[in-house]
């Protein structure tokens, strides 16, 4: 789970203006990993992207990484 | 708050490219409206420039609903003739070379991402003229590319957004692995060719499966000179697809 959190933080850092405000809470339940992502309110739009395109791309990269780690990851942006 | 500017050129794509260069923004960072699609005229008679109105957008403003009147810049990616099929790839559109620092930064980002994904990889970045090429050699190619390229495309999208966040837009950054892009182009062209033949034979339109802007572009360009069919993209978002119709 730490590795998935680390990857999520890295990807989000590149997109937002305020990387210090990134907060990630992870819960692990068997092979399922839920990651809750919080960013500065001004950065919400950037993380989600036009029509959800950016968060969609983040989820796809996270999914590939979780498959590799034999996990199922779920990323939610929390406002 | 945001103001729009008008640009014109021979085609909508060229106008958009000109606008992006002028504003120092990537096609992802602008919305535009086609004021006049322009016309090539007939034998040069009646030719008219395409005119577009361009508005710089920040991600926030666009996060919610996608308006339909303002066309997203995906059209640019879809119809611009960059790459192997370029016709008007003249000196005028030649792009400035990327600095070594920039290439290094790209390499670092991709290397770190792939490493954090738990994948062993060797990353090679170079300026290919029209675009910046990132070649990733991995053991688990299938995992890195994903179904129909969804992983490699997602990473490529994030890479472009991240690299051009605080930098003037230069050119597209393209990630490839084990010749995937070329294989995918050939597969799509094959499908376009077979479908076009069927459309012409059966004289009825046929829809292709949903594809990304760059993949739809391959279909449009491949069938551009086929006099028996026409192509058009319909639908929105992930469901947007090309319909091939009898001419």
């Amino acid at each position: 789970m730490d590795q998935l959190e680390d990857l999520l933080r890295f990807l989000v850092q590149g997109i937002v203006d305020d990387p210090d405000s990134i907060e990630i809470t992870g819960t692990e339940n068997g092979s399922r990993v839920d990651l809750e992502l919080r960013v500065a309110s001004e950065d919400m739009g950037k993380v989600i992207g036009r029509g959800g395109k950016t968060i969609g791309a983040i989820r796809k990269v996270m999914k590939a990484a979780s498959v590799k780690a034999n996990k199922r990851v779920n990323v939610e942006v929390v406002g | 708050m945001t103001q729009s500017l008008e640009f014109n050129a021979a085609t909508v794509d060229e106008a958009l490219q000109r606008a992006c260069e002028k504003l120092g923004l990537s096609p992802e960072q602008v919305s535009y409206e086609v004021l006049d699609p322009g016309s090539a005229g007939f034998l040069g008679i009646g030719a008219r420039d395409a005119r577009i109105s361009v508005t710089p957008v920040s991600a926030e403003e666009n996060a919610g609903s996608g308006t339909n009147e303002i066309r997203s810049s995906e059209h640019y990616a879809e119809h611009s003739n960059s790459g192997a099929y370029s016709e008007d790839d003249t000196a005028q559109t030649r792009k400035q070379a990327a600095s070594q620092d920039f290439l290094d930064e790209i390499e670092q980002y991709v290397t770190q991402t792939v490493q954090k994904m738990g994948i062993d990889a060797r990353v090679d970045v170079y300026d290919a003229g029209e675009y910046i090429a990132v070649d990733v050699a991995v053991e688990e190619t299938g995992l890195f590319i994903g179904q129909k390229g969804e992983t490699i495309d997602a990473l490529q999208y994030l890479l472009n957004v991240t690299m051009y966040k605080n930098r003037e837009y230069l050119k597209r950054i393209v990630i490839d692995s084990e010749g995937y892009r070329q294989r995918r182009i050939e597969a799509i062209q094959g499908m376009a060719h077979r479908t076009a033949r069927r459309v012409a034979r059966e004289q009825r339109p046929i829809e292709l499966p949903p594809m990304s802007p760059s993949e739809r572009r391959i279909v449009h360009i491949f069938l551009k000179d086929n006099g028996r069919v026409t192509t058009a993209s319909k639908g929105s978002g992930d469901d947007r697809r090309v319909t091939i119709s009898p001419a």
Side-chain angles (χ1 to χ4, degrees), chain B residues 107-152:
Chain B
E107 185 182 324
Q108 216 168 52
Y109 178 85
V110 178
T111 305
Q112 284 200 51
T113 307
V114 175
Q115 198 176 39
K116 287 173 193 295
M117 288 172 77
I119 298 174
D120 270 334
R122 216 188 52 241
V123 179
D124 189 25
V125 182
Y126 59 94
D127 191 328
E130 269 298 296
Y131 60 96
I132 295 169
V134 181
D135 197 46
V136 182
V138 282
E139 285 284 323
E140 301 119 304
T141 319
L143 180 69
F144 179 70
I145 293 170
Q147 265 191 345
K148 287 188 216 146
E150 65 170 27
T151 311
I152 198 172

Side-chain angles (χ1 to χ4, degrees), chain A residues 26-74:
Chain A
T27 42
E28 200 164 1
N29 201 334
S31 63
R32 190 194 158 101
V33 176
D34 287 294
L35 297 177
E36 277 189 0
L37 171 68
R38 280 184 184 74
V39 296
S41 54
E42 310 87 74
D43 281 329
M44 281 292 274
K46 290 194 192 68
V47 169
I48 291 164
R50 184 184 305 182
K53 196 167 177 188
T54 307
I55 189 66
I58 291 174
R59 286 191 177 120
K60 277 172 184 156
V61 174
M62 293 301 296
K63 184 178 143 198
S66 70
V67 167
K68 170 78 183 161
N70 284 315
K71 308 261 184 213
R72 276 189 64 83
V73 74
N74 179 42

Side-chain angles (χ1 to χ4, degrees), chain B residues 20-33:
Chain B
C20 289
E21 277 164 16
K22 186 96 184 169
L23 300 169
L25 293 168
S26 76
E28 281 86 18
Q29 292 168 313
V30 299
S31 271
Y32 69 97
E33 197 172 356

Side-chain angles (χ1 to χ4, degrees), chain B residues 17-59:
Chain B
Q17 190 173 352
R18 189 169 290 180
C20 289
E21 277 164 16
K22 186 96 184 169
L23 300 169
L25 293 168
S26 76
E28 281 86 18
Q29 292 168 313
V30 299
S31 271
Y32 69 97
E33 197 172 356
V34 178
L35 302 172
D36 182 342
S39 165
F42 180 69
L43 301 174
I45 301 161
R48 206 170 66 232
D49 265 6
R51 277 193 310 129
I52 59 170
S53 159
V54 175
T55 317
V57 288
S58 60

